[in-house]
Amino acid sequence: MNTHMWIVMGLAMVAAGGVVQVFIYPYLSGDIKAEKRQAALRSPGPKRNAENQTDAASRRKQIIDSLKEVEARGKRKRQTLDARIAQAGSPGAANIILSLRLSREHWPAA
């Protein structure tokens, strides 16, 4: 009978270990928390999607506006050097630059 009792106690311990494995181990190992995190990533919910769509629309509008500004800046006609000098208000500088240009054309660099 002593052997019969040891077999019953062994089977009871295996059964108790199975119960612990099935019901308690996921909480101890963190599997439950991991499943909750994964579920949260899979379904963000309708509120987040609505916010993302409004954010995307506002970003799209901002990009279009900035592109229009860049195109407008690029279409401006660049002033020539003579016009820039005249705008700066230096009356003698235009003659000096003109004489330097002419002297370079006639005297090639060595």
Side-chain angles (χ1 to χ4, degrees), residues 71-104:
E71 287 176 359
R73 274 190 257 145
K75 288 183 179 180
R76 282 190 288 183
K77 189 175 181 181
R78 288 187 56 131
Q79 291 181 340
T80 61
L81 183 60
D82 296 330
R84 288 185 197 172
I85 292 171
Q87 184 179 7
S90 180
N95 293 334
I96 294 171
I97 290 177
L98 181 63
S99 64
L100 287 174
R101 282 185 190 166
L102 292 176
S103 66
R104 265 195 191 163

Side-chain angles (χ1 to χ4, degrees), residues 5-53:
M5 188 187 299
W6 283 106
I7 291 173
V8 171
M9 281 187 1
L11 289 175
M13 287 180 12
V14 169
V19 168
V20 168
Q21 179 74 27
V22 170
F23 293 111
I24 298 175
Y25 183 73
Y27 290 101
L28 295 176
S29 68
D31 287 344
I32 299 294
K33 290 181 181 179
E35 288 177 5
K36 286 181 182 179
R37 285 193 305 265
Q38 289 173 357
L41 290 175
R42 278 190 218 120
S43 59
K47 184 178 178 184
R48 287 175 94 186
N49 285 339
E51 290 176 5
N52 287 341
Q53 288 175 353

